[in-house]
Amino acid sequence: QTGALTPGAAVDLAGRTVTINSGQVNDSTNALIANSLTLDINSGTSANTVKTTVSTLAVNTTDSTDATGRSITVTETDGVALGVVNVSTGTFNLTAPGAITQTGVMTADKLVLTNTGGTTTLGQNNVIANLGAIDATGGAFSLTNTAALTLTDTINAGTNTVTINNGANAVTFALGGNKDITASSFTVTAQDVDALDTIGSLGTTNVVLRPDGTADTMDLAVTDGTEFTLTTNDIAELKSGTGTV
């Protein structure tokens, strides 16, 4: 199947393992219902939208033409276990009001996620370039990543924890000065952290910043360097909140 897929009603294959090879999928109303669903999509230059009721989900949009065509918005009706998700230069936008876990690596230019009903544990060696808007008010959010990561939008975990382990790669904050980070604690492990002063507000969030290696050097109140460095502006941003650092 190379043409677009447009369900006219809910597609109920409950309990079954389903693989769909198609062109663009564009339906936010009618759910694809299965135990396990694999989407292999070539949508050219058109973005994808799908509603699911599944236990496990795998996605591959890499055959599409550009970043728009490789992007997909998934609205899941419950929690979900993610298998391999590869949207390459596209955006993976997931809403799921339950426990989100993964068994396969996610590769994406950007991850956008909403989970108001459970914890989110993305513990594989993911390759994500940008972290967009995150609503983790349903439970703790944790991400393991293996590439330089830029935070571009609001992170709201309410009273829950946010943990980002970026290993031997930098985390850059690019929140424009008006987008907040809200959590009981916000922990980042990385080779370096840059531009903390772009955070709108930390409020009462407790912040933990860790170099990726216990023997790494940490430079404070100096010009930004290649190792773990907190500039004067970074320190001022941390001071502006009322949580612990």
Side-chain angles (χ1 to χ4, degrees), residues 68-219:
T68 300
R70 295 179 187 118
S71 297
I72 185 167
T73 297
V74 178
T75 302
E76 165 60 35
T77 59
D78 201 349
V80 64
L82 299 173
V84 174
V85 173
N86 190 349
V87 299
S88 183
T89 59
T91 296
F92 185 63
N93 188 328
L94 174 64
T95 297
I100 299 174
T101 59
Q102 64 175 169
T103 58
V105 169
M106 182 185 300
T107 303
D109 176 70
K110 180 182 284 188
L111 170 65
V112 177
L113 185 140
T114 299
N115 185 351
T116 59
T119 60
T120 300
T121 307
L122 303 177
Q124 298 293 316
N125 290 325
N126 299 297
V127 186
I128 300 167
N130 296 282
L131 194 62
I134 301 296
D135 181 342
T137 52
F141 173 91
S142 65
L143 169 67
T144 299
N145 200 50
T146 60
L149 182 68
T150 301
L151 278 55
T152 64
D153 213 327
T154 300
I155 297 175
N156 181 14
T159 59
N160 303 308
T161 61
V162 173
T163 304
I164 297 172
N165 184 348
N166 215 42
N169 306 283
V171 172
T172 299
F173 293 77
L175 280 69
N178 59 356
K179 296 169 184 175
D180 303 339
I181 294 177
T182 305
S184 62
S185 67
F186 179 75
T187 301
V188 175
T189 302
Q191 180 264 338
D192 192 14
V193 290
D194 293 317
L196 288 169
D197 58 319
T198 67
I199 300 169
S201 173
L202 285 166
T204 61
T205 300
N206 300 309
V207 179
V208 180
L209 303 175
R210 294 173 174 160
D212 63 297
T214 55
D216 286 359
T217 59
M218 179 183 290
D219 296 327

